[in-house]
Amino acid sequence: MEKQRLSELPDELVLKILSSLPMFEETLATRLISKRWKGPWKLAPNAIFDDDDKKRKSFETFMSFVYGSLLSNDARILERLEFKLSQNYAASDISFWVQIAVNRSVRELRIDLFGKTLELPSCLSTCRTLKEVTLHELCIKVVPPWFRLPSLKTLHLLSVTFSGGNSVSSLLETCPVLECLVVEQTKDDNNVMISNIDVPTLRNLSIRSLSKGKRKKSTYVEGSNGFVIKAPSLTDLNFEDTLSNFVMFESMPEVIKANIQVICDQSDHFIGSLTSIQHLSLCSLTSKTPYPACTVFSSLKHLELCTCSAGWANLLACILNAAPALRSLKLKSKHSANYSDPMNLWKEPTDVPDFLSKHLEILEWRQYEGTEQERNVAEYILSNASSLKMATFSTRCRNKNHRMLRKLKPMRRVSKTCQLVFD
């Protein structure tokens, strides 16, 4: 009789009843829903539930599809589960769905809420199979002190905001074995400033804190660091900050590859902690040396320097003197220059660095414009790099016979085997 009365209720009410069932009643819920909806409920190893899908014509139809799929008797192991939820759903619904995924040994979970608030499902604290979580366009108001992600290795926070005294660091404290962290925010996000990151197990870190407007240079203020990154096990760093959110890197002796883009004058210890760096891509709107004067990057073999700032040439000269093993150098303007400092003319070093005369093999210069300063730098490198094998130049117009490129041909090349290429 109970099943008959349940079958007479509206779909929306039936779904609410099922979502409120205790988790140990999942078998009962499966039987009930299999009687109610006869659709082919078979959950694939990778399941995506999108309520904006044209095939789901109503709220009730979408809900029935989610419940029917997740409660299917055929679905045992769930590799990846993704929700794209533009409509409003009760926290109990989302928690129920996630609980079923946890029961089915889910490994990857992604939740998109289009700006709405997420109540962190408590069942995740006991999930030992979950390795990767992606949260997109949502707000987290509460990170309970008991909440944990015990086996999580990878966390993506994409346009995720925090309130109620919580922050990125509040969530990181719940991840005891985290190895990869990706944080992306824009100036339009509320509470955009990133807090301290202190994760001893972290190996890969990517932070993109970007404004949607033009890059504007800002001045570093001593003692006004927005946040500190403390990750002694880090090996790969991608850091892009155009919001003047000052940063301080603590000791990172394991980092071998880094892409760093900042707009503010940094302290003289900014990249000094990257003592084992091998690949460095750097964009800074300052001509100041962002590391102590005695620093030596003995392992640095590949350097890419952005030429969008007024003082890029002198910054290059400083780094060249600190990188005795450099083998390849790439110069490229990644951004439209928007700074007020006057151009700092190239000051040719009095002594030729050892790497330039012995080790540099590859020079690649993109967006070469043929200014007086660029010609002076090019001439200095070509006339001193005795081991240079290839020097490639290209302009924005992509004209291989452009007049500014033709002026490079007569420049003295100390390396007899250097091939000059116009790309």
Side-chain angles (χ1 to χ4, degrees), residues 59-252:
F59 179 88
E60 292 78 14
T61 303
F62 175 75
M63 292 282 281
S64 67
F65 175 71
V66 175
Y67 275 100
S69 298
L70 290 176
L71 293 173
S72 168
N73 282 321
D74 296 327
R76 301 303 345 147
I77 301 298
L78 187 55
E79 184 68 24
R80 186 173 189 270
L81 178 62
E82 179 175 346
F83 290 107
K84 296 181 179 179
L85 306 176
S86 60
Q87 300 187 57
N88 294 318
Y89 299 88
S92 59
D93 286 322
I94 297 177
S95 294
F96 184 77
W97 299 336
V98 173
Q99 175 68 67
I100 298 172
V102 169
N103 292 349
R104 298 205 165 144
S105 304
V106 65
R107 291 181 57 83
E108 298 180 26
L109 175 66
R110 176 177 177 129
I111 301 177
D112 295 12
L113 293 187
F114 298 88
K116 295 182 288 296
T117 298
L118 173 68
E119 184 176 310
L120 296 171
S122 59
C123 58
L124 293 178
S125 292
T126 59
C127 185
R128 297 287 176 180
T129 61
L130 187 63
K131 303 298 181 183
E132 181 173 334
V133 168
T134 299
L135 303 178
H136 182 230
E137 284 194 33
L138 55 83
C139 175
I140 296 177
K141 292 184 178 180
V142 178
V143 180
W146 46 261
F147 184 78
R148 289 292 179 272
L149 294 168
S151 301
L152 195 69
K153 298 289 187 179
T154 302
L155 177 62
H156 294 253
L157 302 176
L158 312 178
S159 295
V160 174
T161 61
F162 294 83
S163 61
N166 295 283
S167 64
V168 172
S169 61
S170 302
L171 194 56
L172 294 181
E173 291 173 359
T174 72
C175 309
V177 296
L178 191 67
E179 295 181 357
C180 178
L181 173 64
V182 177
V183 180
E184 294 187 4
Q185 295 179 312
T186 65
K187 192 172 183 179
D188 289 345
D189 295 332
N190 295 323
N191 304 320
V192 72
M193 304 299 273
I194 299 172
S195 58
N196 293 346
I197 293 177
D198 184 354
V199 186
T201 58
L202 203 61
R203 305 288 291 176
N204 297 277
L205 174 62
S206 177
I207 295 179
R208 300 182 73 242
S209 182
L210 308 176
S211 62
K212 293 186 177 180
K214 295 182 178 180
R215 293 162 52 89
K216 295 183 179 180
K217 183 178 176 182
S218 180
T219 302
Y220 171 80
V221 179
E222 189 69 32
S224 298
N225 298 311
F227 61 98
V228 176
I229 296 179
K230 185 178 181 181
S233 300
L234 201 68
T235 60
D236 198 314
L237 171 65
N238 179 40
F239 182 81
E240 300 177 51
D241 175 23
T242 62
L243 292 174
S244 304
N245 193 8
F246 307 120
V247 66
M248 179 70 71
F249 295 140
E250 290 202 358
S251 178
M252 296 181 182

Side-chain angles (χ1 to χ4, degrees), residues 3-21:
K3 290 183 181 179
Q4 290 178 347
R5 288 198 297 271
L6 184 65
S7 65
E8 296 172 358
L9 295 175
D11 286 353
E12 184 176 3
L13 182 55
V14 173
L15 292 171
K16 285 295 182 181
I17 293 173
L18 292 178
S19 67
S20 64
L21 287 173

Side-chain angles (χ1 to χ4, degrees), residues 391-408:
T392 303
F393 293 83
S394 66
T395 64
R396 296 182 188 274
C397 65
R398 295 292 183 180
N399 185 350
K400 296 182 180 180
N401 296 314
H402 197 281
R403 180 172 57 87
M404 70 177 68
L405 294 179
R406 293 200 302 269
K407 290 184 177 181
L408 293 168

Side-chain angles (χ1 to χ4, degrees), residues 15 37-38 53 69 72 105 108 115 181 204 211 222 230 262 284 291 302 309 315 322 327 344 356 386 411:
L15 292 171
W37 295 285
K38 302 293 185 180
D53 191 331
S69 298
S72 168
S105 304
E108 298 180 26
L181 173 64
N204 297 277
S211 62
E222 189 69 32
K230 185 178 181 181
V262 293
S284 176
Y291 52 83
H302 308 279
S309 70
L315 180 59
R327 293 188 177 276
N344 296 326
L356 194 56
S386 57
M411 287 186 181

Side-chain angles (χ1 to χ4, degrees), residues 321-384:
N321 280 313
L326 197 67
R327 293 188 177 276
S328 72
L329 172 63
K330 182 176 182 178
L331 301 174
K332 180 181 180 180
S333 180
K334 295 182 179 181
H335 316 94
S336 299
N338 185 28
Y339 46 79
S340 57
D341 288 354
M343 182 65 69
N344 296 326
L345 296 180
W346 162 260
K347 297 178 183 177
E348 185 172 313
T350 55
D351 298 320
V352 179
D354 282 347
F355 95 91
L356 194 56
S357 60
K358 298 178 182 179
H359 301 298
L360 189 66
E361 297 178 352
I362 303 294
L363 170 63
E364 183 180 352
W365 199 323
R366 301 296 177 185
Q367 286 91 46
Y368 178 80
E369 306 219 342
T371 64
E372 179 183 358
Q373 173 150 269
E374 291 185 343
R375 290 198 307 272
N376 290 339
V377 174
E379 186 173 18
Y380 172 76
I381 295 175
L382 293 175
S383 62
N384 288 289

